């Protein structure tokens, strides 16, 4: 698989993930996303509970 294809697959997997659970096996342990408020959050924190 080419690097471009691997990156596209990661982007598509995240874009179609309903609860951000796709991130958990695909990020480093120290991954933090910065929210619009400026507060960082971990991949596990981004995962929303299924209602």
């Amino acid at each position: 698989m080419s690097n471009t294809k691997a990156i596209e697959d990661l982007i598509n997997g995240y874009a179609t993930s309903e609860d951000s659970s796709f991130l958990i096996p695909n990020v480093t342990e120290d991954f933090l996303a910065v929210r619009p408020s400026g507060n960082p959050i971990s991949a596990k924190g981004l995962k929303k509970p299924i209602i």
Side-chain angles (χ1 to χ4, degrees):
M1 178 182 318
S2 71
N3 289 338
T4 301
K5 177 70 172 136
I7 292 168
E8 287 174 350
D9 287 349
L10 283 172
I11 292 168
N12 288 330
Y14 177 68
T16 59
S17 176
E18 292 183 17
D19 65 0
S20 299
S21 62
F22 175 82
L23 285 174
I24 294 174
N26 291 293
V27 297
T28 60
E29 287 183 28
D30 58 351
F31 170 88
L32 292 173
V34 180
R35 298 180 276 193
S37 64
N39 296 324
I41 189 167
S42 69
K44 289 181 182 176
L46 283 172
K47 186 175 179 234
K48 299 175 187 172
I50 298 174
I51 298 174

